[in-house]
Amino acid sequence: MSEQIGTNFPPFIRADEPRETTTEGHRLLNIILSSRRLLVVVFMSVIFAAATRPIKDPDFYWHLKTGEYLVETRSIPRTDIFSTSKFGSEWVTHEWLSELFMYSIFRWLGYAGLIAAFAAIITATFILAYRRCKEVAPHPYIAGFALIVGAAATMPTWGVRPQMLSMLFASIFVLVLGDYCRNVRTKAIWSLIPLTVLWVNMHAGYAMGLALIVLTIVSLLTDGLLLPDQSIKKTWPRIRTLCLLLAGCIGAVCLNPSGTRMYSYPFETLTSSSMMQYIQEWKSPNFHEPMFQALALLFLVTFAALALSGKRARPGELLMLLVTALATLRSSRNVPFFALLAIPLLAEHSWHWVTAQPWGQWFTKPETRETGTASALKIVLNGLVLVIIPLTLVGLRLGGSVRNQLPTETETYPAAAVNFMVKEKPPQPIYNEYVWGGYLIWRLYPEYRVNMDGRADVYGDALIEEFLAVHDGETKWRESLEKQGIRTVLVKPDVPLASLLRQDTGWQNVFEDKGSVIFVRR
């Protein structure tokens, strides 16, 4: 059935579906009459609604403050301005354009605009993934199943954060490179060079784009070596073009405020032991945790579909899938890149397996088109059930998330303690919880600078280790606080450092609620 899909038809439209007229009115009517086409609205509404949630990411606030700084000063900071512990040290502001984007939305549309914008970015990512699914699995039940499982696997990474732009750019790379390998829209690959320029100014995840080009080259080489109907000589023209593309994209990386520094920066973060050890998303996924159950399902159903399908996957496709699977098992931060490659393979091989079963022949039948009164009734029902209700629920979800933003912020971060600091102005410098650093930067900078925040690359492994030793009340915690001249400590009430300070006569408890406590040196 998939062979019937032409490459010149718009996304989500089957080549064998009737196209009686080209007028916009009749085309719209045909879409409304097709339950299968309108299911796309349901799928994307589900993804948009799932992505619409109150902002909890601890890094969000320092991103927002950086964006504000960019707007107010019209300059990009190259050294740390937010902390006392690393003030003046190198800060590679690799997400400056994302931060400008985020603050600009916040400035005009507030939290509602940010939540909606990033939900739209996440949804756009999976619209592109669905486009490929629909080509290889014409029935929306099969394509939609692959899409929803893949999207669910990536949900732990979702949020109002620059990484979502990397996920969107990666989906474009996957789509364009996949089309090129199938000899579809071959000229589109050159658009990846300006896209790399945009990507490198928004997030250091641009390295994944380069990795996808390299993997595609290796994939074509593998196919040329292992497939009987292929050869290196036959695939060489495409490989040569991709090598030129890779060179162009590598050259484009230096077109950013940090220049050539961005060539080494991604590798420095990947080799940071403290980031791997202490930051949750850099760790391997723990499949005992509920948030990784969808990822486990994606692994299982993808490899099951590959095993059961009557169609053999290309060796190059399997290689790309296995490499990204290994990267995902090493760090949950890489889940989206594995999912973007797994989703179309899951759809394609599920389609081949299902339609090979006697009961699966139903999926290959064309959709019945009603006429007369039945047609009018279907238009009403489709419009109500597949468009109006899903979009209404999306609107309600967005409104609820916006209303819950302030309560979520107050519950997650030390809002009352910060209010106390704004009013009473305890002495500086301060020692603070790592996950509160971004929030304190947003609320207190420039009056206060933090001791530590989510910019682990700025602080380095040694300082993070020292910070955690103090937080955990290890042997030399007092000496470390004295060395840094700390005069105010803001931490959670139940951490070891808080217990030690309560017993130390050199410190006074000046504020405490159920979520935070402030100590001031006497």
Side-chain angles (χ1 to χ4, degrees):
M1 193 69 178
S2 60
E3 288 78 6
Q4 299 175 7
I5 305 304
T7 59
N8 296 321
F9 292 94
F12 320 135
I13 298 179
R14 286 179 48 178
D16 59 350
E17 288 179 340
R19 307 180 75 199
E20 298 86 351
T21 176
T22 58
T23 64
E24 290 301 318
H26 281 81
R27 290 182 67 182
L28 179 60
L29 183 63
N30 286 337
I31 292 173
I32 296 175
L33 274 169
S34 173
S35 302
R36 295 183 183 182
R37 294 185 187 183
L38 289 180
L39 274 174
V40 178
V41 178
V42 177
F43 297 149
M44 300 310 159
S45 295
V46 168
I47 292 172
F48 188 96
T52 303
R53 56 179 79 167
I55 302 167
K56 291 184 177 181
D57 181 26
D59 290 341
F60 163 74
Y61 295 98
W62 67 258
H63 286 311
L64 205 58
K65 178 58 75 171
T66 304
E68 182 183 65
Y69 179 91
L70 292 169
V71 170
E72 292 181 350
T73 66
R74 297 175 182 252
S75 63
I76 300 173
R78 298 179 183 275
T79 58
D80 176 45
I81 58 175
F82 292 142
S83 78
T84 53
S85 54
K86 294 294 285 187
F87 182 78
S89 299
E90 182 192 38
W91 176 21
V92 181
T93 319
H94 64 96
E95 298 158 315
W96 73 273
L97 194 54
S98 293
E99 290 155 347
L100 184 61
F101 172 70
M102 292 167 68
Y103 180 71
S104 297
I105 294 175
F106 178 79
R107 187 180 184 184
W108 295 106
L109 300 174
Y111 287 115
L114 276 172
I115 293 170
F118 276 81
I121 289 168
I122 293 166
T123 305
T125 298
F126 291 100
I127 288 174
L128 296 174
Y130 187 80
R131 173 179 169 175
R132 175 62 181 147
C133 290
K134 199 67 172 70
E135 292 176 355
V136 296
H139 200 288
Y141 288 176
I142 306 297
F145 165 74
L147 182 80
I148 295 301
V149 172
T154 67
M155 281 182 65
T157 68
W158 293 1
V160 178
R161 52 207 308 245
Q163 287 91 327
M164 298 302 94
L165 291 160
S166 272
M167 189 168 73
L168 175 60
F169 294 146
S171 70
I172 298 172
F173 267 69
V174 169
L175 179 65
V176 171
L177 292 169
D179 283 349
Y180 179 76
C181 288
R182 298 188 304 278
N183 291 312
V184 180
R185 293 178 285 273
T186 55
K187 293 182 180 179
I189 62 166
W190 301 111
S191 65
L192 299 183
I193 295 177
L195 186 63
T196 299
V197 176
L198 182 61
W199 195 347
V200 75
N201 284 281
M202 286 195 146
H203 191 247
Y206 79 87
M208 182 52 66
L210 303 182
L212 286 169
I213 298 174
V214 172
L215 282 174
T216 304
I217 293 171
V218 176
S219 171
L220 289 174
L221 283 170
T222 304
D223 290 344
L225 288 170
L226 300 180
L227 290 178
D229 60 338
Q230 297 288 330
S231 67
I232 297 298
K233 183 178 180 180
K234 189 174 181 180
T235 58
W236 176 247
R238 285 185 290 166
I239 292 171
R240 181 180 56 200
T241 301
L242 287 175
C243 289
L244 291 174
L245 173 67
L246 178 62
C249 289
I250 291 174
V253 168
C254 66
L255 300 178
N256 71 91
S258 298
T260 57
R261 183 71 176 81
M262 284 305 296
Y263 287 117
S264 61
Y265 178 80
F267 299 100
E268 293 172 10
T269 59
L270 288 172
T271 56
S272 169
S273 60
S274 60
M275 292 176 74
M276 293 294 179
Q277 186 175 356
Y278 301 117
I279 299 177
Q280 179 63 43
E281 68 177 353
W282 285 96
K283 297 179 182 179
S284 297
N286 182 354
F287 292 107
H288 294 286
E289 296 182 11
M291 67 177 178
F292 291 117
Q293 296 303 301
L295 175 60
L297 178 63
L298 179 62
F299 270 107
L300 292 173
V301 296
T302 300
F303 288 106
L306 288 167
L308 295 171
S309 171
K311 179 181 180 180
R312 292 184 61 183
R314 291 188 297 105
E317 288 179 327
L318 291 177
L319 178 65
M320 294 181 72
L321 186 70
L322 290 173
V323 168
T324 52
L326 178 63
T328 295
L329 292 175
R330 184 177 185 272
S331 172
S332 58
R333 192 181 180 92
N334 296 319
V335 170
F337 308 115
F338 167 74
L340 290 171
L341 291 174
I343 288 170
L345 282 175
L346 173 58
E348 181 178 7
H349 291 276
S350 295
W351 173 257
H352 280 276
W353 177 72
V354 167
T355 54
Q357 312 306 311
W359 52 267
Q361 293 304 305
W362 174 83
F363 290 96
T364 66
K365 296 178 181 179
E367 184 176 9
T368 303
R369 294 299 178 88
E370 290 77 4
T371 59
T373 305
S375 174
L377 179 61
K378 188 171 184 179
I379 289 174
V380 173
L381 289 176
N382 280 356
L384 178 64
V385 176
L386 300 178
V387 179
I388 296 174
I389 290 177
L391 295 180
T392 301
L393 293 176
V394 164
L396 293 173
R397 168 78 173 182
L398 176 60
S401 296
V402 173
R403 287 192 298 273
N404 288 330
Q405 178 59 44
L406 185 57
T408 298
E409 182 178 305
T410 302
E411 181 181 346
T412 308
Y413 299 101
V418 171
N419 292 338
F420 173 86
M421 292 180 68
V422 169
K423 181 180 179 181
E424 301 298 332
K425 301 196 178 344
Q428 302 182 57
I430 66 173
Y431 176 96
N432 57 273
E433 290 281 351
Y434 177 88
V435 293
W436 291 349
Y439 180 76
L440 298 179
I441 289 171
W442 173 243
R443 291 285 310 274
L444 297 175
Y445 180 84
E447 285 76 18
Y448 284 86
R449 291 187 173 90
V450 298
N451 181 258
M452 184 73 64
D453 63 87
R455 298 168 301 146
D457 55 304
V458 171
Y459 297 100
D461 294 344
L463 194 58
I464 291 175
E465 292 287 351
E466 182 180 357
F467 171 87
L468 292 172
V470 173
H471 187 268
D472 294 340
E474 295 183 7
T475 307
K476 296 184 178 180
W477 66 270
R478 185 180 286 103
E479 290 86 339
S480 182
L481 289 180
E482 290 175 354
K483 180 183 70 174
Q484 298 179 62
I486 301 298
R487 300 181 64 193
T488 297
V489 173
L490 169 58
V491 291
K492 297 177 181 179
D494 56 351
V495 302
L497 180 60
S499 299
L500 291 168
L501 292 178
R502 285 190 180 94
Q503 301 169 19
D504 193 313
T505 56
W507 292 84
Q508 178 183 2
N509 182 334
V510 296
F511 173 89
E512 184 167 359
D513 61 12
K514 64 178 183 179
S516 59
V517 58
I518 298 176
F519 296 94
V520 173
R521 190 183 292 273
R522 294 182 187 275

